Each structure stands twice: as structure tokens, then as C-alpha cells.
Amino acid sequence: HQSRLAGFIIDCEDTPADEGARFWATALGLQAQPSYGEDGAEYADLQGAPAGLNVEVQRVAHPSRVHLDIESDDIDAEA
């Protein structure tokens, strides 16, 4: 099977997604997109990442952190 890094999400504690996205877009040389809500969460996409990576900023209530999104063509084998 094959797995690949699909992108990453930057969690920003108690920071609106738009505000966090503006900061991280500048820091990473990407373009911040308007925030949106999904399943009770608040996100903002950052466009222009290399290799087609999906980069998002998320407003969270816990301490800030980054987590990776990995895609696999065989989830059972990956686990």
C-alpha cells in the first residue's frame, strides 16, 4: 500500500480562523482564504502550498498545535 502526506492543520487556541490564517499565510508565503464553519468548527484554508498540500487553520479551545493529515490507499494495512 501507499501513504502520503496530504496536508496539515494548524490549531490556533482562542484565535478566530481568519486572524490565524492571516498570520500563517504571511509566515508561510501562502494566501489566506475566508473562514468557514463545518460541523461546529471554524476553519480557514491557506492556498498555494507546494506539492498540492492542503493547509488549514482551525480555531480551537485547547493549546495551539499542528497535526498532519496522511492519506492511505489501504487504511487497514496502514493501521
Side-chain angles (χ1 to χ4, degrees), residues 7 11 14 16 19 30 40 42 47 55 68:
D11 290 346
D14 297 326
E19 185 179 326
L30 304 175
E42 182 184 337
Q47 292 187 340
V55 181
L68 304 177

Side-chain angles (χ1 to χ4, degrees), residues 6-67:
F8 54 94
I9 297 178
I10 303 168
D11 290 346
C12 295
E13 182 179 15
D14 297 326
T15 303
D18 283 328
E19 185 179 326
R22 282 191 300 274
F23 171 84
W24 284 105
T26 300
L28 298 173
L30 304 175
Q31 295 99 29
Q33 301 301 302
S35 66
Y36 61 94
E38 184 176 293
D39 296 327
E42 182 184 337
Y43 298 94
D45 293 327
L46 301 180
Q47 292 187 340
L53 292 174
N54 178 50
V55 181
E56 297 177 355
V57 173
Q58 178 182 9
R59 182 180 194 161
V60 296
H62 57 72
S64 299
R65 61 183 173 212
V66 173
H67 52 97

Side-chain angles (χ1 to χ4, degrees), residues 1 3 72 74-79:
H1 74 280
S3 298
S72 176
D74 186 338
I75 294 172
D76 290 333
E78 185 67 25

